[in-house]
């Protein structure tokens, strides 16, 4: 397995693509531990494929977006395509022990859309589709479940290394089970925030979840919580690296993607159902977040050729820069 590096643009770091060798599966695993100690530092970068970083022990740092996370046992970082990973300093992972898992949607089998945009319609990949994200999503694996997570990733790693008969099917099965676990953790993000003593953030997400289909702003969320908008936005930005408005937009975009993927509702109706009564404004926000219009995003989910055309267009743009 190798990666290719696309040169940075004016406002983004270098982006890496996964390029399997002939006959290889587009899945890679590696240990995140003291062996990463090096005399050099890895540059700030992004990937155009999804990935996970799971840590079994406490110790070390992970830099994503504007956040520097002290690593805790059970931390699971969900790295979406485009998420900016910070510059890795020499000793960041010296005290860490964990696993990295990266893949492309093709690894989920022939029924998974493999085009640059179409892969986003797969239900197990929704946690990795966070338009406009600036850093990885941090989830927590409960202590009783950690041995199972470690065993699952290790089994995936062993299949990739040993390549015994049926290893392709085994890799696919292990990867699907891993992504099911990620989806379940991501679905309970509010409960996880409460368990980790983050009641303010939990309340923010509850308000957003309840009211995102309606007109909703930072001031509306602050009023619902009886807190000043300034204090709320600074607290949320400090704790998550993102603003309240960015979280509102993300929740709306997630539901918009679902409706575009599984319904034939007109684009304007999709926008109305996710809090955008103005169809033109919905299309502009969707296009800014995803780099493509809602109609083209929907076509890419049902027509692989459309997805390939979008991928070619984006590649040409990168080369021209």
């Amino acid at each position: 397995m190798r990666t290719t590096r696309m040169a940075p643009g004016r406002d983004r770091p270098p982006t890496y693509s996964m390029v399997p060798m002939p006959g290889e599966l587009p899945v890679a695993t590696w240990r995140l531990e003291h062996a990463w100690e090096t005399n050099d530092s890895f540059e700030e970068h992004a990937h155009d494929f999804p990935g996970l970083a799971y840590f079994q022990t406490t110790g070390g740092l992970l830099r994503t977006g504007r956040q520097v996370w002290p690593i805790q046992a059970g931390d699971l970082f969900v790295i979406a395509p485009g998420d900016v990973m910070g510059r890795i300093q020499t000793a960041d992972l010296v005290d860490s022990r964990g696993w990295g898992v990266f893949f492309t949607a093709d690894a989920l089998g022939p029924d998974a859309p493999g085009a640059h945009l179409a892969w986003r319609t797969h239900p197990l990949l929704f946690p990795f589709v966070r338009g406009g994200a600036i850093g990885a999503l941090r989830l927590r694996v409960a202590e009783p479940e950690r041995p199972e997570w470690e065993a699952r990733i290790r089994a995936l790693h062993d299949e990739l290394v040993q390549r015994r008969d049926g290893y392709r099917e085994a890799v696919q099965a292990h990867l699907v089970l891993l992504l099911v676990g990620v989806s379940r953790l991501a679905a309970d993000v509010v409960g996880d925030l409460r368990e980790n003593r983050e009641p303010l953030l939990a309340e923010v997400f509850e308000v957003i979840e309840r009211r995102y289909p309606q007109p909703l702003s930072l001031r509306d969320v602050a009023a619902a919580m009886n807190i000043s908008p300034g204090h709320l936005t600074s607290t949320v930005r400090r704790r998550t690296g993102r603003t309240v408005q960015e979280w509102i937009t993300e929740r709306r975009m997630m539901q918009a993607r679902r409706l575009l993927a599984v319904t034939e509702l007109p684009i304007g109706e999709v926008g109305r159902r996710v809090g955008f009564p103005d169809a033109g404004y919905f299309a502009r926000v969707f296009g800014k977040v995803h780099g493509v219009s809602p109609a083209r995003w929907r076509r890419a989910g049902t027509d692989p050729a459309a997805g390939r055309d979008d991928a070619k267009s984006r590649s040409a743009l990168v080369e021209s820069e």
Side-chain angles (χ1 to χ4, degrees):
M1 185 72 64
R2 63 187 178 90
T3 58
T4 61
R5 178 182 183 274
M6 291 185 289
R10 288 181 293 273
D11 58 351
R12 65 174 184 270
T15 299
Y16 287 83
S17 295
M18 180 180 290
V19 183
M21 299 299 287
E24 276 191 334
L25 288 171
V27 183
T29 59
W30 58 84
R31 292 180 175 85
L32 303 174
E33 54 187 11
H34 62 84
W36 273 54
E37 186 173 7
T38 176
N39 292 325
D40 300 315
S41 295
F42 292 89
E43 63 186 346
E44 182 179 77
H45 65 282
H47 313 102
D48 67 1
F49 49 89
L52 301 168
Y54 173 65
F55 292 93
Q56 301 145 250
T57 60
T58 296
L61 301 171
L62 189 73
R63 304 171 192 270
T64 74
R66 292 192 291 264
Q67 294 287 100
V68 179
W69 298 101
I71 295 168
Q72 301 292 319
D75 275 350
L76 175 69
F77 293 90
V78 179
I79 305 167
D83 283 352
V84 176
M85 304 304 295
R87 184 180 180 89
I88 301 175
Q89 306 299 326
T90 300
D92 281 357
L93 298 178
V94 169
D95 297 323
S96 305
R97 189 164 67 89
W99 289 92
V101 179
F102 287 89
F103 59 95
T104 73
D106 298 338
L108 295 176
D111 295 331
H116 183 77
L117 297 173
W119 68 269
R120 302 179 181 197
T121 64
H122 197 289
L124 291 181
L125 295 175
F126 278 130
F128 297 90
V129 185
R130 302 190 313 279
I134 59 169
L137 172 67
R138 186 193 198 190
L139 302 174
R140 293 282 296 161
V141 176
E143 187 171 357
E145 299 174 5
R146 292 172 194 170
E148 180 182 351
W149 275 79
E150 181 177 357
R152 189 179 297 157
I153 298 174
R154 187 178 294 276
L156 173 63
H157 174 77
D158 289 345
E159 290 292 346
L160 287 168
V161 170
Q162 298 172 15
R163 299 195 178 192
R164 295 169 293 186
D165 289 347
Y167 92 97
R168 289 176 172 274
E169 291 77 9
V171 166
Q172 185 183 100
H174 287 307
L175 182 60
V176 166
L177 288 172
L178 192 63
L179 295 179
V180 168
V182 173
S183 295
R184 289 172 178 172
L185 286 176
D188 194 32
V189 66
V190 171
D192 184 68
L193 287 169
R194 289 205 183 283
E195 289 177 8
N196 285 279
R197 299 180 183 178
E198 292 280 11
L200 184 143
L201 291 183
E203 190 172 352
V204 168
F205 283 103
E206 285 179 338
V207 172
I208 292 174
E209 184 64 27
R210 209 169 49 241
R211 296 178 54 178
Y212 78 85
Q214 311 157 15
L216 184 65
S217 67
L218 163 65
R219 292 187 177 278
D220 296 328
V221 176
M225 298 175 60
N226 294 314
I227 189 172
S228 75
H231 177 64
L232 178 61
T233 196
S234 63
T235 300
V236 171
R237 184 191 289 275
R238 185 174 66 252
R239 300 283 184 84
T240 70
R242 307 176 72 185
T243 67
V244 173
Q245 191 59 54
E246 285 173 332
W247 283 114
I248 294 170
T249 299
E250 176 172 311
R251 182 62 184 94
R252 286 171 166 168
M253 292 299 100
M254 183 178 76
Q255 183 63 11
R257 290 190 299 268
R258 289 181 186 272
L259 292 175
L260 290 169
V262 303
T263 76
E264 297 181 357
L265 290 171
I267 301 299
E269 179 62 17
V270 170
R272 189 187 67 78
R273 293 194 183 192
V274 299
F276 293 95
D278 184 318
Y281 183 56
F282 166 63
R284 288 195 296 274
V285 172
F286 192 96
K288 181 178 179 180
V289 169
H290 299 89
V292 67
S293 70
R296 290 191 69 186
W297 194 95
R298 171 179 272 170
R299 286 200 301 273
T302 57
D303 180 3
R308 286 193 294 270
D309 289 343
D310 287 334
K312 289 178 181 177
S313 297
R314 183 163 296 190
S315 297
L317 178 61
V318 169
E319 291 172 2
S320 68
E321 294 177 344

